[in-house]
Amino acid sequence: MGGKGTYSNGKNPTYTYKTVDKIEGVKVLEPINSKRSFNMPPEAHSSNSYILLDNGGVFHQYTEYNKDHLPVFEIGYHFEKGMSKQGEYVFHVHEYSSPGIDNRQPARNITPQEYEKYKKFFKGVK
């Protein structure tokens, strides 16, 4: 599962997420500590992509990671500052200028092609 730490530096961090399900073969993660926010791990340990659902079981986020376990592409379905009103959910994409959480780019609208490709992961979205 994902951790917050130093896997890419050859160290084994403490896991902070657990797998609770799979959607189309992609692991659905949940924070081990339920008081933590629903953010994706900055590194992947056992998969090249993960999904997070919100507390109601609705799609929240999907992230893809490269061979070095670093994020490269992300789809979100939640409030996004500058794209939606408070409380309004919107599909959006964050790309990375290069792999790694520090290289996350501002959100953009999801394209119809991306929506079609990834919609199988959008559990509970109407």
Side-chain angles (χ1 to χ4, degrees), residues 69-86:
H69 314 282
L70 298 173
V72 294
F73 178 80
E74 172 185 317
I75 297 174
Y77 181 68
H78 48 262
F79 166 76
E80 184 66 21
K81 186 176 181 179
M83 292 186 74
S84 60
K85 298 175 189 169
Q86 189 65 38

Side-chain angles (χ1 to χ4, degrees), residues 8 19 36 39 41 45 48-49 51 54 59 66-67 70-73 76 80 96 104 108 113 125:
S8 61
T19 301
R36 292 192 63 134
N39 293 324
H45 295 218
N48 61 358
S49 58
I51 296 169
D54 68 15
F59 175 81
N66 69 5
K67 64 178 177 54
L70 298 173
V72 294
F73 178 80
E80 184 66 21
Y96 292 74
R104 186 174 179 235
R108 65 165 174 79
Q113 295 83 4
V125 177

Side-chain angles (χ1 to χ4, degrees), residues 40 61-64 71-76 78 92-96 101 104:
M40 280 292 192
Q61 193 172 339
Y62 166 87
T63 302
E64 291 180 357
V72 294
F73 178 80
E74 172 185 317
I75 297 174
H78 48 262
H92 57 280
V93 171
H94 290 279
E95 295 177 289
Y96 292 74
I101 196 72
R104 186 174 179 235

